[in-house]
Amino acid sequence: MNNDAPGTHSGKTTLRDVAQATGFSINTVSHALKDKPDISAATKERIRLAARDLGYIADSVAGSLRSGVSRTIAVILGDMSNPHFGLWVREIETSAFRQGYSTLIINTDEDEQVEREAIKAAVGKRVDGIILCPTQKSDCNLILLKSISIPFVLIGRRYQDADLNYVVPDDVEGGCLAAGHLLDRGCRHILMLNGPAHISSARERYEGYCKAHAERGLAVDPRYLLSVGVQSGQCRRTVERVLAEGLDFDAVVAFSDLLALETLATLRSRPVPVVGFDDILGGMLLPVSLTSVAPDLNAVASCAVSRLMEMMAARQQKTSAGQPVQTVLPVRLYSR
Amino acid sequence: MNNDAPGTHSGKTTLRDVAQATGFSINTVSHALKDKPDISAATKERIRLAARDLGYIADSVAGSLRSGVSRTIAVILGDMSNPHFGLWVREIETSAFRQGYSTLIINTDEDEQVEREAIKAAVGKRVDGIILCPTQKSDCNLILLKSISIPFVLIGRRYQDADLNYVVPDDVEGGCLAAGHLLDRGCRHILMLNGPAHISSARERYEGYCKAHAERGLAVDPRYLLSVGVQSGQCRRTVERVLAEGLDFDAVVAFSDLLALETLATLRSRPVPVVGFDDILGGMLLPVSLTSVAPDLNAVASCAVSRLMEMMAARQQKTSAGQPVQTVLPVRLYSR
DNA sequence: CTTGCTTATATTAACGTTAATGATACGAAA
DNA sequence: TTTCGTATCATTAACGTTAATATAAGCAAG
C-alpha cells in the first residue's frame, strides 16, 4: 500500500482518493467497485460507501484505454431528424443504455465524405461497435469499415455481400404490397416516387413494384419510375413536373411517408390514392390518413442492437462471431 | 530514438508504428500530425504520408486521457424521436461535428433517475460539455451537475438561477401570442392543454396565456388549464374527457404541435381552432394546416452549441467563463 | 507438520497519447 | 572566436484505469 500522495488534491475524485480514504490499494478499490468476485463482501461495502461519499465517478476514458473496450457504440446515418431514422436512433440508444452502452450519433447528410470522417471519428473514439445506414454512393467506406476490425451492423440498407451483418425490412415484399394494394383497387398507372437508385431499399422496392405487376400479368411502364431526392420540397417539384408533362397516373407509391404526405399535400385537389413507407404516423395521432408499408421500426433497431451486442461479446471473448447474420424483417400494410 | 519494438505487430496502427516507419520519435510524429509549429514542413509531409499509408487513425481515448479533453459533448433530453427534440439534436450534432466534436446522446424519457445516470455516464466519459433539457421534476440533478465542474448549457427549459447558462424560446411571449391570436379571432373559452407544471416552459406559456387575457381585460377561468402527459394518446383521452364533462370551449392552445395535431384528430368533426408550439410542420410539407408558435428551432440549438463552445474554450484556457449567458429567443406565430 | 490450495489483497506494468523538458545543431551577434 | 538564441527533434513522465502477477494468511489434506 504505497499511495503516497500530495496532501490536498485539486481535481476530481479518482480511484487513488478512494484508496487513500479506505486504506486499500487502488486495485482493490477498482475490483470492489466492479464487483469482482475476489474481494470480500465487507471490503466491498466499505469501499462502495467511501466511493459514494467522495462522489467518485469512474473515468471510463482511462478504463477504455487500459481494457480496450469503451462500452460505446456509434450510430451513423443520413439524418436523424427524419422521423424514420429518429425512431431507430431512439430505440438503439435506449436499448444500448440499458445494457450499459453509450451511443455516439453522427449524421452524414447522405454525404459519402462525411460518412468517411464519421467512421474515422468513431474508430478514433474506440467505439466497440457501429450501426450504419450507409449512403451507398459507392462501397469504399464499406471497404474502410471492413479493413478495421470493429464489429458493425448495417441497418435499413444492404450490400450483396455474404460477409456482412445487416438488418433490413423486406423491401421487395414492401414494394410488392404497396403496388399490389393499389393494383387490386383497380389502379393501373402507379407513379413510383422512389429514392435514389444507389440505395438498396429503393431498388428492392421497385423490384417489388414490378413483381406485383408481373404477378397480375400486367406490364410495367418505366416512365412511371421517378427518383426523388430525400430533401423536403423535392417531391412537390417532381409531382408538379409530372402533372405539367401530362403523364397520366391514378395512384402513387412514395419512398417514404414524408414524401407520401408531401405528395398528398401537392395533389390535394385531386384525390389520388397514395401509399408510403415506414408508417411514421403509427406512433402519432394525426388528422391525416395515409396507407403505409412498414416493418416494426423498433424491431429493426433492436434487432440491429442485439446482433451488434453478440458480435461485440464474441470479439471480447476472442471467440469467432460466427456466421454473419442477415435479417430481413417482415413488413405489413397499415391504413391509418 | 529508441522505439525498440517486436518485429510484427498485431493490432491497429499507433504513433509508434508511424514513428518506426519514418525513423522519427513518437513525439515528433504526434506533433507533426497535430500540425504543431515546431516541426519542419518537410518532416510533417513525410510523416503525414507514412501515417496515411499505414492507415493511422489517432486514438482519441489515449489522447483524452493525457490531455484531459475529449472533444465530445453530451446531449441529454427526454426523447429525441420527438421531432422537436430531434431537430435540436440534429442541429447540435452537425454543428459540433463541424467543429471537431462528437456528440453523445442520451434519452431520459423524462425520468429523473435516468437523467442522473445519464449525467454520470457523460461525466465518466469525460465529455467536455453537456447540453441538457432537464426533466425539472426536482433540482437535485442540477445540483449534481453544478457540483461537477463541467460546462453545461440548458436548452428549452430553465431554472430561476442567475448562475446558469441557458437558451430558451420566449415562452411567455409564445403563450401570449397563441392565446392572443385566438382571442383576437373572437374565441373566449380557450382550452389550454399544457405540459406538466414542473416544466418551466409550461408554466411560462400559461403565464403568457394569462397575460394575453389580462391585456384584453378578460378574466381567466382556471378550469380551462389542463395538464397533459407528453406520451402519445394522452391528449386524446384528455380532450374526450373534457368533451364528456361538458366543459365548453371554442379554441385550444396545445403544449406542442404533436398534441395540437392529436387534438385536431380527436376533434375532427367539430372545427375548433387549435394553436400548437414548435412549428414542426415548418420543415415538412403536409396535407394538414396548423397554426403554431415557435422560435427558430435551429437557432435555439446552434445558440446552445455556441455558448457551450465558448465555455469549453474558456475552461481549457483556464480563463473564467465570464458571466452566465441567458438567452431568450424570440418566437413567431406561423400559419401553415 | 508440512504441502498445497484457496481467499483476499497488494504490486507492477501497460494501454497510446501529449505536456514538459532536454538535447543538438546551426547561424547570428558580440 | 565565443556566446547565445532558435529551430528541430528526442526523452521522460504522466493521465487513471485494469490485466497480470505476486504475496500473505488461513485452512484442508497427506
PDB file of all heavy atoms in Angstrom, chain A residues 15 27 30 34 36 56 62 66, chain D residues 15-22:
ATOM      1  N   LEU A  15      -9.690   6.779  -8.284  1.00  0.00           N
ATOM      2  CA  LEU A  15      -9.548   5.558  -7.506  1.00  0.00           C
ATOM      3  C   LEU A  15      -8.547   5.767  -6.373  1.00  0.00           C
ATOM      4  O   LEU A  15      -8.693   5.221  -5.285  1.00  0.00           O
ATOM      5  CB  LEU A  15      -9.058   4.416  -8.405  1.00  0.00           C
ATOM      6  CG  LEU A  15     -10.111   3.726  -9.271  1.00  0.00           C
ATOM      7  CD1 LEU A  15      -9.468   2.595 -10.045  1.00  0.00           C
ATOM      8  CD2 LEU A  15     -11.243   3.196  -8.409  1.00  0.00           C
ATOM      9  N   ASN A  27      -5.989  -1.057  -6.758  1.00  0.00           N
ATOM     10  CA  ASN A  27      -6.518  -2.224  -7.457  1.00  0.00           C
ATOM     11  C   ASN A  27      -7.703  -2.835  -6.715  1.00  0.00           C
ATOM     12  O   ASN A  27      -8.708  -3.213  -7.324  1.00  0.00           O
ATOM     13  CB  ASN A  27      -5.411  -3.256  -7.603  1.00  0.00           C
ATOM     14  CG  ASN A  27      -5.892  -4.476  -8.345  1.00  0.00           C
ATOM     15  OD1 ASN A  27      -6.458  -5.379  -7.759  1.00  0.00           O
ATOM     16  ND2 ASN A  27      -5.695  -4.479  -9.649  1.00  0.00           N
ATOM     17  N   SER A  30     -10.683  -0.743  -7.297  1.00  0.00           N
ATOM     18  CA  SER A  30     -11.193  -0.965  -8.648  1.00  0.00           C
ATOM     19  C   SER A  30     -12.016  -2.244  -8.703  1.00  0.00           C
ATOM     20  O   SER A  30     -13.146  -2.257  -9.176  1.00  0.00           O
ATOM     21  CB  SER A  30     -10.035  -1.027  -9.639  1.00  0.00           C
ATOM     22  OG  SER A  30     -10.490  -1.434 -10.903  1.00  0.00           O
ATOM     23  N   LYS A  34     -16.116  -2.754  -9.190  1.00  0.00           N
ATOM     24  CA  LYS A  34     -16.560  -3.514 -10.356  1.00  0.00           C
ATOM     25  C   LYS A  34     -17.221  -4.811  -9.927  1.00  0.00           C
ATOM     26  O   LYS A  34     -17.569  -5.639 -10.766  1.00  0.00           O
ATOM     27  CB  LYS A  34     -15.353  -3.799 -11.266  1.00  0.00           C
ATOM     28  CG  LYS A  34     -14.919  -2.596 -12.092  1.00  0.00           C
ATOM     29  CD  LYS A  34     -15.517  -2.660 -13.498  1.00  0.00           C
ATOM     30  CE  LYS A  34     -15.694  -1.274 -14.088  1.00  0.00           C
ATOM     31  NZ  LYS A  34     -14.439  -0.576 -14.281  1.00  0.00           N
ATOM     32  N   LYS A  36     -16.031  -7.485  -8.588  1.00  0.00           N
ATOM     33  CA  LYS A  36     -15.304  -8.702  -8.952  1.00  0.00           C
ATOM     34  C   LYS A  36     -15.384  -9.694  -7.788  1.00  0.00           C
ATOM     35  O   LYS A  36     -15.517  -9.290  -6.629  1.00  0.00           O
ATOM     36  CB  LYS A  36     -13.831  -8.360  -9.248  1.00  0.00           C
ATOM     37  CG  LYS A  36     -13.628  -7.438 -10.447  1.00  0.00           C
ATOM     38  CD  LYS A  36     -13.484  -8.228 -11.736  1.00  0.00           C
ATOM     39  CE  LYS A  36     -13.445  -7.304 -12.945  1.00  0.00           C
ATOM     40  NZ  LYS A  36     -12.113  -6.763 -13.202  1.00  0.00           N
ATOM     41  N   TYR A  56     -17.286   9.634  -6.133  1.00  0.00           N
ATOM     42  CA  TYR A  56     -16.434   9.057  -7.173  1.00  0.00           C
ATOM     43  C   TYR A  56     -17.243   8.657  -8.398  1.00  0.00           C
ATOM     44  O   TYR A  56     -18.280   8.010  -8.288  1.00  0.00           O
ATOM     45  CB  TYR A  56     -15.699   7.829  -6.628  1.00  0.00           C
ATOM     46  CG  TYR A  56     -14.948   7.065  -7.694  1.00  0.00           C
ATOM     47  CD1 TYR A  56     -13.764   7.566  -8.220  1.00  0.00           C
ATOM     48  CD2 TYR A  56     -15.441   5.861  -8.181  1.00  0.00           C
ATOM     49  CE1 TYR A  56     -13.084   6.882  -9.206  1.00  0.00           C
ATOM     50  CE2 TYR A  56     -14.762   5.170  -9.175  1.00  0.00           C
ATOM     51  CZ  TYR A  56     -13.587   5.678  -9.682  1.00  0.00           C
ATOM     52  OH  TYR A  56     -12.920   5.012 -10.651  1.00  0.00           O
ATOM     53  N   ALA A  62      -9.996   6.430 -19.066  1.00  0.00           N
ATOM     54  CA  ALA A  62      -8.823   5.676 -18.618  1.00  0.00           C
ATOM     55  C   ALA A  62      -9.094   4.175 -18.692  1.00  0.00           C
ATOM     56  O   ALA A  62      -8.249   3.403 -19.151  1.00  0.00           O
ATOM     57  CB  ALA A  62      -8.458   6.088 -17.198  1.00  0.00           C
ATOM     58  N   ARG A  66      -7.063   1.241 -21.044  1.00  0.00           N
ATOM     59  CA  ARG A  66      -6.431   0.048 -20.498  1.00  0.00           C
ATOM     60  C   ARG A  66      -7.102  -1.230 -21.008  1.00  0.00           C
ATOM     61  O   ARG A  66      -6.453  -2.159 -21.453  1.00  0.00           O
ATOM     62  CB  ARG A  66      -6.490   0.096 -18.975  1.00  0.00           C
ATOM     63  CG  ARG A  66      -5.928  -1.123 -18.280  1.00  0.00           C
ATOM     64  CD  ARG A  66      -4.458  -1.288 -18.594  1.00  0.00           C
ATOM     65  NE  ARG A  66      -4.173  -2.558 -19.228  1.00  0.00           N
ATOM     66  CZ  ARG A  66      -3.392  -3.496 -18.721  1.00  0.00           C
ATOM     67  NH1 ARG A  66      -2.774  -3.300 -17.600  1.00  0.00           N
ATOM     68  NH2 ARG A  66      -3.201  -4.612 -19.356  1.00  0.00           N
TER      69      ARG A  66
ATOM     70  P    DC D  15      -0.548  11.977 -13.034  1.00  0.00           P
ATOM     71  OP1  DC D  15      -0.561  12.860 -11.851  1.00  0.00           O
ATOM     72  OP2  DC D  15      -0.320  10.523 -12.873  1.00  0.00           O
ATOM     73  O5'  DC D  15      -1.928  12.128 -13.803  1.00  0.00           O
ATOM     74  C5'  DC D  15      -2.194  13.098 -14.794  1.00  0.00           C
ATOM     75  C4'  DC D  15      -3.132  12.510 -15.812  1.00  0.00           C
ATOM     76  O4'  DC D  15      -2.352  11.843 -16.814  1.00  0.00           O
ATOM     77  C3'  DC D  15      -4.046  11.425 -15.252  1.00  0.00           C
ATOM     78  O3'  DC D  15      -5.275  12.016 -14.848  1.00  0.00           O
ATOM     79  C2'  DC D  15      -4.254  10.463 -16.427  1.00  0.00           C
ATOM     80  C1'  DC D  15      -3.139  10.831 -17.415  1.00  0.00           C
ATOM     81  N1   DC D  15      -2.201   9.730 -17.771  1.00  0.00           N
ATOM     82  C2   DC D  15      -1.968   9.432 -19.131  1.00  0.00           C
ATOM     83  O2   DC D  15      -2.584  10.071 -19.998  1.00  0.00           O
ATOM     84  N3   DC D  15      -1.083   8.451 -19.451  1.00  0.00           N
ATOM     85  C4   DC D  15      -0.444   7.781 -18.481  1.00  0.00           C
ATOM     86  N4   DC D  15       0.411   6.829 -18.856  1.00  0.00           N
ATOM     87  C5   DC D  15      -0.670   8.075 -17.106  1.00  0.00           C
ATOM     88  C6   DC D  15      -1.552   9.040 -16.803  1.00  0.00           C
ATOM     89  P    DG D  16      -5.752  11.848 -13.328  1.00  0.00           P
ATOM     90  OP1  DG D  16      -6.828  12.809 -13.079  1.00  0.00           O
ATOM     91  OP2  DG D  16      -4.584  11.789 -12.444  1.00  0.00           O
ATOM     92  O5'  DG D  16      -6.411  10.389 -13.348  1.00  0.00           O
ATOM     93  C5'  DG D  16      -7.601  10.188 -14.082  1.00  0.00           C
ATOM     94  C4'  DG D  16      -7.821   8.707 -14.252  1.00  0.00           C
ATOM     95  O4'  DG D  16      -6.671   8.147 -14.908  1.00  0.00           O
ATOM     96  C3'  DG D  16      -7.988   7.941 -12.935  1.00  0.00           C
ATOM     97  O3'  DG D  16      -9.226   7.257 -12.993  1.00  0.00           O
ATOM     98  C2'  DG D  16      -6.785   6.997 -12.902  1.00  0.00           C
ATOM     99  C1'  DG D  16      -6.444   6.870 -14.378  1.00  0.00           C
ATOM    100  N9   DG D  16      -5.051   6.552 -14.642  1.00  0.00           N
ATOM    101  C8   DG D  16      -3.951   7.016 -13.966  1.00  0.00           C
ATOM    102  N7   DG D  16      -2.821   6.562 -14.451  1.00  0.00           N
ATOM    103  C5   DG D  16      -3.196   5.757 -15.510  1.00  0.00           C
ATOM    104  C6   DG D  16      -2.408   4.999 -16.417  1.00  0.00           C
ATOM    105  O6   DG D  16      -1.166   4.883 -16.461  1.00  0.00           O
ATOM    106  N1   DG D  16      -3.198   4.313 -17.356  1.00  0.00           N
ATOM    107  C2   DG D  16      -4.564   4.373 -17.395  1.00  0.00           C
ATOM    108  N2   DG D  16      -5.141   3.669 -18.353  1.00  0.00           N
ATOM    109  N3   DG D  16      -5.306   5.078 -16.554  1.00  0.00           N
ATOM    110  C4   DG D  16      -4.569   5.736 -15.649  1.00  0.00           C
ATOM    111  P    DT D  17      -9.783   6.285 -11.893  1.00  0.00           P
ATOM    112  OP1  DT D  17     -11.213   6.552 -11.679  1.00  0.00           O
ATOM    113  OP2  DT D  17      -8.845   6.327 -10.748  1.00  0.00           O
ATOM    114  O5'  DT D  17      -9.632   4.893 -12.614  1.00  0.00           O
ATOM    115  C5'  DT D  17     -10.334   4.658 -13.816  1.00  0.00           C
ATOM    116  C4'  DT D  17      -9.621   3.618 -14.649  1.00  0.00           C
ATOM    117  O4'  DT D  17      -8.213   3.891 -14.688  1.00  0.00           O
ATOM    118  C3'  DT D  17      -9.697   2.193 -14.130  1.00  0.00           C
ATOM    119  O3'  DT D  17     -10.826   1.565 -14.732  1.00  0.00           O
ATOM    120  C2'  DT D  17      -8.402   1.550 -14.586  1.00  0.00           C
ATOM    121  C1'  DT D  17      -7.542   2.716 -15.073  1.00  0.00           C
ATOM    122  N1   DT D  17      -6.184   2.751 -14.489  1.00  0.00           N
ATOM    123  C2   DT D  17      -5.172   2.084 -15.133  1.00  0.00           C
ATOM    124  O2   DT D  17      -5.327   1.439 -16.146  1.00  0.00           O
ATOM    125  N3   DT D  17      -3.945   2.184 -14.533  1.00  0.00           N
ATOM    126  C4   DT D  17      -3.647   2.893 -13.381  1.00  0.00           C
ATOM    127  O4   DT D  17      -2.506   2.919 -12.937  1.00  0.00           O
ATOM    128  C5   DT D  17      -4.760   3.567 -12.759  1.00  0.00           C
ATOM    129  C7   DT D  17      -4.553   4.366 -11.495  1.00  0.00           C
ATOM    130  C6   DT D  17      -5.964   3.470 -13.334  1.00  0.00           C
ATOM    131  P    DT D  18     -11.298   0.174 -14.111  1.00  0.00           P
ATOM    132  OP1  DT D  18     -12.627  -0.088 -14.665  1.00  0.00           O
ATOM    133  OP2  DT D  18     -11.065   0.141 -12.658  1.00  0.00           O
ATOM    134  O5'  DT D  18     -10.254  -0.863 -14.770  1.00  0.00           O
ATOM    135  C5'  DT D  18     -10.312  -1.112 -16.158  1.00  0.00           C
ATOM    136  C4'  DT D  18      -9.219  -2.094 -16.534  1.00  0.00           C
ATOM    137  O4'  DT D  18      -7.936  -1.587 -16.094  1.00  0.00           O
ATOM    138  C3'  DT D  18      -9.364  -3.482 -15.905  1.00  0.00           C
ATOM    139  O3'  DT D  18      -9.012  -4.430 -16.911  1.00  0.00           O
ATOM    140  C2'  DT D  18      -8.365  -3.468 -14.770  1.00  0.00           C
ATOM    141  C1'  DT D  18      -7.260  -2.601 -15.373  1.00  0.00           C
ATOM    142  N1   DT D  18      -6.374  -1.894 -14.401  1.00  0.00           N
ATOM    143  C2   DT D  18      -5.008  -1.952 -14.594  1.00  0.00           C
ATOM    144  O2   DT D  18      -4.485  -2.538 -15.510  1.00  0.00           O
ATOM    145  N3   DT D  18      -4.271  -1.272 -13.660  1.00  0.00           N
ATOM    146  C4   DT D  18      -4.758  -0.555 -12.569  1.00  0.00           C
ATOM    147  O4   DT D  18      -3.986   0.016 -11.802  1.00  0.00           O
ATOM    148  C5   DT D  18      -6.197  -0.540 -12.428  1.00  0.00           C
ATOM    149  C7   DT D  18      -6.826   0.199 -11.284  1.00  0.00           C
ATOM    150  C6   DT D  18      -6.934  -1.207 -13.332  1.00  0.00           C
ATOM    151  P    DA D  19      -9.475  -5.903 -16.760  1.00  0.00           P
ATOM    152  OP1  DA D  19     -10.483  -6.164 -17.797  1.00  0.00           O
ATOM    153  OP2  DA D  19      -9.770  -6.215 -15.352  1.00  0.00           O
ATOM    154  O5'  DA D  19      -8.135  -6.678 -17.171  1.00  0.00           O
ATOM    155  C5'  DA D  19      -7.511  -6.383 -18.425  1.00  0.00           C
ATOM    156  C4'  DA D  19      -6.159  -7.038 -18.478  1.00  0.00           C
ATOM    157  O4'  DA D  19      -5.245  -6.333 -17.599  1.00  0.00           O
ATOM    158  C3'  DA D  19      -6.132  -8.494 -18.035  1.00  0.00           C
ATOM    159  O3'  DA D  19      -5.228  -9.200 -18.876  1.00  0.00           O
ATOM    160  C2'  DA D  19      -5.649  -8.435 -16.588  1.00  0.00           C
ATOM    161  C1'  DA D  19      -4.743  -7.202 -16.598  1.00  0.00           C
ATOM    162  N9   DA D  19      -4.768  -6.438 -15.359  1.00  0.00           N
ATOM    163  C8   DA D  19      -5.860  -6.058 -14.634  1.00  0.00           C
ATOM    164  N7   DA D  19      -5.574  -5.348 -13.557  1.00  0.00           N
ATOM    165  C5   DA D  19      -4.196  -5.253 -13.582  1.00  0.00           C
ATOM    166  C6   DA D  19      -3.265  -4.631 -12.722  1.00  0.00           C
ATOM    167  N6   DA D  19      -3.631  -3.949 -11.626  1.00  0.00           N
ATOM    168  N1   DA D  19      -1.959  -4.730 -13.032  1.00  0.00           N
ATOM    169  C2   DA D  19      -1.615  -5.393 -14.138  1.00  0.00           C
ATOM    170  N3   DA D  19      -2.387  -6.023 -15.026  1.00  0.00           N
ATOM    171  C4   DA D  19      -3.681  -5.916 -14.687  1.00  0.00           C
ATOM    172  P    DA D  20      -4.969 -10.732 -18.693  1.00  0.00           P
ATOM    173  OP1  DA D  20      -4.693 -11.276 -20.028  1.00  0.00           O
ATOM    174  OP2  DA D  20      -6.049 -11.309 -17.864  1.00  0.00           O
ATOM    175  O5'  DA D  20      -3.621 -10.745 -17.842  1.00  0.00           O
ATOM    176  C5'  DA D  20      -2.553  -9.891 -18.235  1.00  0.00           C
ATOM    177  C4'  DA D  20      -1.391 -10.079 -17.289  1.00  0.00           C
ATOM    178  O4'  DA D  20      -1.556  -9.212 -16.136  1.00  0.00           O
ATOM    179  C3'  DA D  20      -1.241 -11.497 -16.732  1.00  0.00           C
ATOM    180  O3'  DA D  20       0.130 -11.847 -16.765  1.00  0.00           O
ATOM    181  C2'  DA D  20      -1.802 -11.403 -15.323  1.00  0.00           C
ATOM    182  C1'  DA D  20      -1.400  -9.973 -14.946  1.00  0.00           C
ATOM    183  N9   DA D  20      -2.223  -9.351 -13.921  1.00  0.00           N
ATOM    184  C8   DA D  20      -3.582  -9.429 -13.794  1.00  0.00           C
ATOM    185  N7   DA D  20      -4.060  -8.756 -12.769  1.00  0.00           N
ATOM    186  C5   DA D  20      -2.931  -8.196 -12.192  1.00  0.00           C
ATOM    187  C6   DA D  20      -2.750  -7.357 -11.067  1.00  0.00           C
ATOM    188  N6   DA D  20      -3.761  -6.930 -10.300  1.00  0.00           N
ATOM    189  N1   DA D  20      -1.494  -6.971 -10.761  1.00  0.00           N
ATOM    190  C2   DA D  20      -0.483  -7.399 -11.538  1.00  0.00           C
ATOM    191  N3   DA D  20      -0.529  -8.185 -12.617  1.00  0.00           N
ATOM    192  C4   DA D  20      -1.793  -8.552 -12.886  1.00  0.00           C
ATOM    193  P    DT D  21       0.585 -13.347 -16.333  1.00  0.00           P
ATOM    194  OP1  DT D  21       1.605 -13.765 -17.291  1.00  0.00           O
ATOM    195  OP2  DT D  21      -0.622 -14.178 -16.073  1.00  0.00           O
ATOM    196  O5'  DT D  21       1.297 -13.074 -14.933  1.00  0.00           O
ATOM    197  C5'  DT D  21       2.110 -11.907 -14.804  1.00  0.00           C
ATOM    198  C4'  DT D  21       2.327 -11.596 -13.337  1.00  0.00           C
ATOM    199  O4'  DT D  21       1.140 -11.011 -12.766  1.00  0.00           O
ATOM    200  C3'  DT D  21       2.643 -12.829 -12.473  1.00  0.00           C
ATOM    201  O3'  DT D  21       3.937 -12.665 -11.930  1.00  0.00           O
ATOM    202  C2'  DT D  21       1.551 -12.828 -11.404  1.00  0.00           C
ATOM    203  C1'  DT D  21       1.101 -11.377 -11.415  1.00  0.00           C
ATOM    204  N1   DT D  21      -0.277 -11.159 -10.901  1.00  0.00           N
ATOM    205  C2   DT D  21      -0.457 -10.310  -9.836  1.00  0.00           C
ATOM    206  O2   DT D  21       0.458  -9.720  -9.290  1.00  0.00           O
ATOM    207  N3   DT D  21      -1.754 -10.170  -9.412  1.00  0.00           N
ATOM    208  C4   DT D  21      -2.871 -10.794  -9.955  1.00  0.00           C
ATOM    209  O4   DT D  21      -3.983 -10.586  -9.490  1.00  0.00           O
ATOM    210  C5   DT D  21      -2.609 -11.682 -11.068  1.00  0.00           C
ATOM    211  C7   DT D  21      -3.737 -12.406 -11.709  1.00  0.00           C
ATOM    212  C6   DT D  21      -1.329 -11.823 -11.485  1.00  0.00           C
ATOM    213  P    DA D  22       4.605 -13.847 -11.050  1.00  0.00           P
ATOM    214  OP1  DA D  22       6.020 -13.942 -11.450  1.00  0.00           O
ATOM    215  OP2  DA D  22       3.748 -15.041 -11.051  1.00  0.00           O
ATOM    216  O5'  DA D  22       4.532 -13.164  -9.613  1.00  0.00           O
ATOM    217  C5'  DA D  22       5.037 -11.847  -9.472  1.00  0.00           C
ATOM    218  C4'  DA D  22       4.706 -11.318  -8.088  1.00  0.00           C
ATOM    219  O4'  DA D  22       3.267 -11.111  -7.992  1.00  0.00           O
ATOM    220  C3'  DA D  22       5.080 -12.255  -6.934  1.00  0.00           C
ATOM    221  O3'  DA D  22       5.707 -11.484  -5.924  1.00  0.00           O
ATOM    222  C2'  DA D  22       3.738 -12.811  -6.464  1.00  0.00           C
ATOM    223  C1'  DA D  22       2.808 -11.648  -6.766  1.00  0.00           C
ATOM    224  N9   DA D  22       1.403 -12.011  -6.972  1.00  0.00           N
ATOM    225  C8   DA D  22       0.891 -12.854  -7.911  1.00  0.00           C
ATOM    226  N7   DA D  22      -0.422 -12.975  -7.874  1.00  0.00           N
ATOM    227  C5   DA D  22      -0.792 -12.152  -6.832  1.00  0.00           C
ATOM    228  C6   DA D  22      -2.047 -11.842  -6.272  1.00  0.00           C
ATOM    229  N6   DA D  22      -3.192 -12.346  -6.719  1.00  0.00           N
ATOM    230  N1   DA D  22      -2.070 -10.977  -5.228  1.00  0.00           N
ATOM    231  C2   DA D  22      -0.913 -10.475  -4.781  1.00  0.00           C
ATOM    232  N3   DA D  22       0.327 -10.684  -5.230  1.00  0.00           N
ATOM    233  C4   DA D  22       0.313 -11.549  -6.261  1.00  0.00           C
TER     234       DA D  22
END
